[in-house]
Structure formats: C-alpha cells, structure tokens
Amino acid sequence: MGELEGRVAIVTGAGRGLGRAHALLLAAEGACVVVNDVDAAVDGSGSADGAPGGSGGGPRSAELVVEQIRAAGGEAIASTLDVADWSAGELLVAQAVETYGDLHVVVNNAGVLRDRALVNMSEEDFDTVVSVDLKGHVVPTRFAAAYWRAQAKSGRAVRASVVNTVSTSGLLGNPGQSHYGAAKAGVAAFTLICAQELAHYGVRVNAIAPAARTRMTDTSPGLAKLLAPPPDPAMFDRWDPANVSPLVVYLASTRCAVTGRVLSVQGGTIQLFEPWTLGGAVETAGRWSVEEIAAVLPGLAG
Ligand SMILES: NC(=O)c1ccc[n+]([C@@H]2O[C@H](COP(=O)([O-])OP(=O)(O)OC[C@H]3O[C@@H](n4cnc5c(N)ncnc54)[C@H](O)[C@@H]3O)[C@@H](O)[C@H]2O)c1
C-alpha cells in the first residue's frame, strides 16, 4: 500500500519542475492526481514555448506528466486551468471531485518569477507576480476549503491537507524580488491563518520553502552553475527537485498531524522556519514622546 492510497490530490504548476516531481511521487504513493499547468513562461508572460495557447500544438506539459504517471501504473488527469482565475479555481476543484469522487490534498505550487529592481518595476510586473504567486494559492484553497466545510457539516470525517509553496525570498528577503517576496510572505501568512481557520473542518495547512534546480533557477544569474548536477552520477544530487517531494507526500498523508508550519527543504535538509514573533520591548507609562523614543529605539531595534 502506498502512503496516499485512496487520496485525491490536485498539484498546481505540475507540468515541470517541482510540481512535476510532486505529482509523480504522489501518484507513485497511490494518490489520484489532477496535474494542473497552464504552460506559462517562467516570468508568467505568454506560454512556455512562446506559442499562443501553450505547447505549440504538441501535448501540453500536464498531459505529458499524466502519460508518465499512467505508464507507471498510476492514475491522473490533466488540467490546464489558470490557478489565478477565481472561476477556474472553482472548476479545478470540481474537476477533481467529479472525476475521482472526492478531494483530500491540494498542493499549491504554481509560480512565476520576474526579477526587477523596485524602481524598474511596472504595474504589469507587480500584478502578474502577485496574481500567480499569491492569488494563485488563495483561489484553489478557497474552493477546496468550501468543499471540505460542506463535507464536515454533512457529518463526514475530513482528513485533508493543503501544502503551499513559499520562498526564502519572502521570509528572509532578496533584493530584486520585492513583489515575488511580498507574495510569498503573503502565502506564509495565508498558511498560518488557514491552518487556524480550517482546523475544525479537519484540514491541515502547511507551507514548504523549497530549493531545487528547475527552469526557474536556470534563469537566475549564477544559479544554474551553482545548482548543476554532480559530475559523478553516483553522488547525491542535492538540487534534484525530487528531493523535495517526500516532504510533500508526508504532509499530504493521513498519518501527519503537523499544521500551520513553514518548512525549508533542500537536498537532505528539512528545517523549521520560526514564525514572526514578538521580541524585546520598551515601555513607558502613557504615551511616548518622540524625544523619549529617539533615546531608547536604537537600543531596541539597532
Ligand atoms: N526552484 C526553486 O529553487 C524554488 C525556490 C523557492 C520557491 N520556488 C517555488 O516553487 C514553485 C515551483 O517552481 P519551479 O522552480 O518548479 O518553477 P517552474 O517554472 O519550473 O514551474 C512552475 C510551473 O507553474 C506553472 N504555472 C505558472 N503560472 C500558472 C498558472 N497561473 N496556473 C497554473 N500553472 C501555472 C508553469 O507553467 C510551470 O510549469 C513556485 O511557486 C516557485 O516560486 C522554487
């Protein structure tokens, strides 16, 4: 028996990169998988190969992943809906439920990257990045949560899991990625709040901050060389996206009780991100004057 036997999962952005690795492992572990991808270019502009509508008339990436899952004896269907579109998100959840009769897992992974210094950022840069990287997490989760709430209210025991995808850029900062980082920090906050809000319906919500060699890292200056496979194929390939997927499977499984956590995962290392937390304080009786603040704040905040 696989870890996810009998579970139905949606993986967004699963035509390539990390999402593809997650979909393959979820299916290998017995889940029925909705493999979602719109075949966007890495920066979200147009399509992956520059052709209108996706893959230049050839099979779309989601269909290729589905073929691979089926060839290995697994179960999957392709979905080419845009996760940032409100009504498409509703259709995506309906597609899973209508095809497989239920939904247990949503892996929000679809993302785009468009490095821009703030002073060079256009409104379109900001809107594209925030639309996919933040709204693209909210939309599928919103409709999956409504489905799970209805299930819980009808008396069924729900054991559902949402796995979101953030980035160290949003948690530790990275110049040139203020829009991307803000969206990913938003996803981290969304994760904590959804975990609190959905717990009583039987839904756990966590996020991973992955690092792996994908099309996305190939476009970042200097990263392609840093994350290259080892010269000796017998050595551990630390940046293989498949290294990230076992954590996704565990978080998606019914034996996992973890919720409201953000976990960094790269190579063989899984590390817990501590959430924002209150630190040292200064206090006065009543309202501070600006002079008094000027006297104490450097000591508190550097
Ligand atoms: N690779 C890394 O080291 C790294 C680091 C931190 C965070 N991430 C995050 O991991 C996730 C996966 O990234 P990746 O590195 O595999 O990149 P990738 O470009 O290889 O894959 C992203 C996929 O998302 C799809 N996509 C984009 N917009 C979509 C939309 N609106 N609807 C549906 N699908 C859409 C793309 O077509 C693509 O197949 C992203 O959220 C990314 O921000 C990756």
Side-chain angles (χ1 to χ4, degrees):
M1 285 279 279
E3 189 72 54
L4 302 176
E5 214 64 51
R7 291 192 49 92
V8 178
I10 293 170
V11 185
T12 72
R16 58 179 59 73
L18 284 155
R20 175 176 172 276
H22 303 338
L24 293 175
L25 191 61
L26 266 81
E29 290 291 345
C32 298
V33 183
V34 178
V35 179
N36 162 265
D37 207 298
V38 292
D39 279 334
V42 71
D43 69 357
S45 64
S47 62
D49 60 2
S55 302
R60 285 169 178 261
S61 63
E63 285 160 11
L64 294 173
V65 174
V66 167
E67 271 175 31
Q68 197 178 344
I69 287 173
R70 289 189 178 158
E75 178 51 47
I77 54 162
S79 155
T80 53
L81 293 161
D82 176 357
V83 290
D85 181 291
W86 200 260
S87 49
E90 186 168 19
L91 284 174
L92 179 60
V93 169
Q95 196 176 14
V97 175
E98 279 162 21
T99 309
Y100 295 120
D102 211 341
L103 176 66
H104 308 94
V105 177
V106 174
V107 181
N108 288 309
N109 163 83
V112 299
L113 183 68
R114 211 181 258 215
D115 281 10
R116 290 283 186 279
L118 179 61
V119 292
N120 295 328
M121 190 188 297
S122 68
E123 184 177 5
E124 200 256 333
D125 291 335
F126 178 83
D127 287 348
T128 301
V129 167
V130 172
S131 171
V132 180
D133 289 317
L134 177 56
K135 189 179 173 192
H137 271 62
V138 173
V139 173
T141 310
R142 151 72 184 85
F143 290 102
Y147 171 75
W148 290 321
R149 181 186 59 177
Q151 295 285 300
K153 289 206 162 183
S154 73
R156 276 190 55 187
V158 174
R159 300 181 78 187
S161 170
V162 176
V163 182
N164 293 327
T165 308
V166 300
S167 164
T168 50
S169 174
L171 303 165
L172 305 175
N174 195 14
Q177 299 188 337
S178 58
H179 48 353
Y180 177 78
K184 292 296 191 184
V187 171
F190 178 69
T191 300
L192 301 190
I193 294 168
C194 288
Q196 294 165 358
E197 206 174 304
L198 303 179
H200 59 284
Y201 301 132
V203 184
R204 294 179 298 100
V205 187
N206 294 286
I208 59 164
R213 182 182 56 250
T214 68
R215 179 184 73 161
M216 196 176 271
T217 55
D218 282 348
T219 61
S220 295
L223 265 190
K225 209 170 159 193
L226 204 70
L227 309 190
D232 175 359
M235 282 168 68
F236 178 50
D237 181 359
R238 183 168 175 75
W239 306 109
D240 184 335
N243 298 335
V244 175
S245 306
L247 176 62
V248 174
V249 166
Y250 176 68
L251 292 171
S253 72
T254 50
R255 71 164 143 154
C256 175
V258 175
T259 194
R261 294 297 199 171
V262 178
L263 295 153
S264 155
V265 48
Q266 49 178 282
T269 307
I270 297 172
Q271 199 169 0
L272 184 66
F273 267 104
E274 297 291 355
W276 281 102
T277 181
L278 287 166
V282 287
E283 276 184 73
T284 186
R287 183 179 298 169
W288 287 93
S289 72
V290 175
E291 267 320 303
E292 286 168 337
I293 292 173
V296 297
L297 204 70
L300 179 71

